[in-house]
Amino acid sequence: MQFPEIMQIRKIRIGEFEFDCRVSGKEENELIIFLHGFPETSHMWINLMGKLASIGYFCVAPDMRGYSKNACPKGVKNYTLKKLSDDILNIAVAFNANKFHLVAHDWGAGIGWNIVYQNPKKIISWTALSVPHSNGFGKAIKMDKEQRKMSRYIGWFLFPIVPEIMLRKNDFEKFRKLWKHSSPEELNNYLSVFRRKYSLTAAINYYRANFRKGKMEPIGDISIPTLFIWGKNDFAIGKVAAENNHKYMKGYYTFLELDGGHWLIQTNYLEVEQAIIEHLTKNKTALNNVYNN
């Protein structure tokens, strides 16, 4: 079910950039920021945003750096984890939020782990889909044969030009195979972004800027209440990385393994929705306590 009547796209100016942000709900409610993955956009969150807005949250999902038309700088150096994280923190400030819930998938989750570790006082609760803690993922790539095989594509993305040429073939045929569970509206939105001249290179620059040593920059343990949702048939994230995620959790932690693959919001929506609502509800009082003290 979709909620088009309460969904808006708001353009948020952050310095020299302008981010396209999907917005749903009343701005006086607790803020949830949603971070999309690759190769997707904030469109992936529409149904979940509508549901959460209907039960009392204010939902914001930006098309991240490189995906927003007017926030797509050239150059690998503009896609470091720090810059990607700062964008999200600045978007929260633009909505006058000192604290917020964070929900993210794939590359959004990679950025999210960094945000949560670096800014624990700003995060009420954290939900990661598919991609585990950066240290655990990096260790799995190094130590686990299956994960190394799964992650070979990362090395391919580090080459200049060639990935763009291959991915653009037959109007993004390779991406279309990944999007087979997406709605026609979602597919058209994704294509509208990646058909732009620089967006595909910008999206691949996430890898080029942050995986030059074969793994993302290490971070420390997480103390924020965390929900990690993983599909046991995920083609990109193996069992070792997912099941060892708990080693980096020092606070409340829930691990939910689903009978699904990587695109959980499309294939396992109701399970994801229920788990996130339960997680948000358990931690909603955290913000109330902050306001009351």
Side-chain angles (χ1 to χ4, degrees):
M1 175 180 264
Q2 294 194 16
F3 303 79
E5 69 278 7
I6 57 173
M7 190 70 58
Q8 304 173 9
I9 294 182
R10 210 179 293 181
K11 295 185 180 296
I12 302 300
R13 172 69 62 175
I14 305 294
E16 63 183 307
F17 300 133
E18 186 178 70
F19 290 87
D20 301 319
C21 296
R22 284 183 166 80
V23 175
S24 186
K26 297 179 180 179
E27 200 158 341
E28 63 265 26
N29 292 337
E30 284 185 17
L31 173 63
I32 309 173
I33 295 182
F34 299 80
L35 307 182
H36 64 82
F38 169 82
E40 298 184 288
T41 73
S42 62
H43 194 290
M44 67 172 287
W45 299 115
I46 283 181
N47 288 343
L48 184 58
M49 290 173 69
K51 175 63 178 179
L52 295 177
S54 75
I55 62 173
Y57 292 94
F58 178 52
C59 301
V60 174
D63 280 353
M64 294 192 296
R65 181 178 290 226
Y67 297 79
S68 285
K69 185 176 181 179
N70 296 315
C72 188
K74 296 180 183 178
V76 171
K77 66 181 181 180
N78 287 305
Y79 294 88
T80 61
L81 205 54
K82 184 180 188 316
K83 290 184 178 180
L84 297 168
S85 299
D86 285 347
D87 288 341
I88 306 310
L89 295 170
N90 287 327
I91 287 171
V93 171
F95 284 100
N96 300 309
N98 295 321
K99 294 176 73 74
F100 56 94
H101 301 273
L102 188 59
V103 178
H105 174 252
D106 189 77
W107 250 109
I111 296 163
W113 286 109
N114 185 68
I115 292 173
V116 172
Y117 171 66
Q118 300 288 355
N119 307 272
K121 292 183 179 180
K122 296 182 179 181
I123 308 300
I124 307 166
S125 75
W126 164 228
T127 300
L129 277 68
S130 303
V131 172
H133 189 284
S134 307
N135 291 18
F137 185 34
K139 188 173 183 180
I141 291 174
K142 183 178 180 180
M143 306 295 293
D144 181 55
K145 183 178 179 180
E146 181 182 2
Q147 186 61 63
R148 270 201 307 278
K149 185 176 180 180
M150 288 179 166
S151 298
R152 284 177 184 168
Y153 72 93
I154 295 175
W156 182 67
F157 279 144
L158 303 185
F159 287 101
I161 304 173
V162 174
E164 285 92 327
I165 293 172
M166 296 297 293
L167 291 172
R168 286 195 178 101
K169 280 189 175 180
N170 299 321
D171 196 21
F172 296 93
E173 181 180 13
K174 290 183 182 297
F175 279 177
R176 288 171 185 270
K177 291 178 181 178
L178 298 178
W179 297 332
K180 63 183 179 181
H181 300 293
S182 296
S183 68
E185 295 80 12
E186 193 170 60
L187 181 92
N188 288 336
N189 175 260
Y190 294 169
L191 285 171
S192 72
V193 170
F194 285 107
R195 282 170 177 161
R196 293 183 199 140
K197 188 172 183 180
Y198 299 114
S199 289
L200 177 60
T201 294
I204 297 174
N205 280 345
Y206 281 44
Y207 293 93
R208 292 167 177 156
N210 298 293
F211 273 98
R212 293 191 173 187
K213 296 180 180 179
K215 60 181 180 179
M216 292 178 71
E217 181 179 338
I219 57 174
D221 294 335
I222 303 298
S223 58
I224 298 302
T226 298
L227 167 64
F228 176 50
I229 307 174
W230 172 73
K232 65 181 181 181
N233 301 313
D234 196 310
F235 68 86
I237 307 295
K239 187 174 183 178
V240 170
E243 293 189 348
N244 284 329
N245 198 55
H246 69 93
K247 294 180 179 180
Y248 306 94
M249 303 298 114
K250 299 305 178 185
Y252 173 84
Y253 177 62
T254 300
F255 172 45
L256 177 61
E257 179 182 323
L258 298 180
D259 186 11
H262 190 71
W263 315 106
L264 296 173
I265 200 73
Q266 289 87 0
T267 61
N268 299 71
Y269 175 78
L270 291 178
E271 294 168 289
V272 170
E273 177 194 272
Q274 180 182 352
I276 290 177
I277 289 175
E278 289 177 1
H279 185 58
L280 291 169
T281 302
K282 285 179 182 177
N283 294 289
K284 193 168 186 178
T285 54
L287 183 59
N288 293 332
N289 290 337
V290 169
Y291 284 153
N292 293 331
N293 288 334

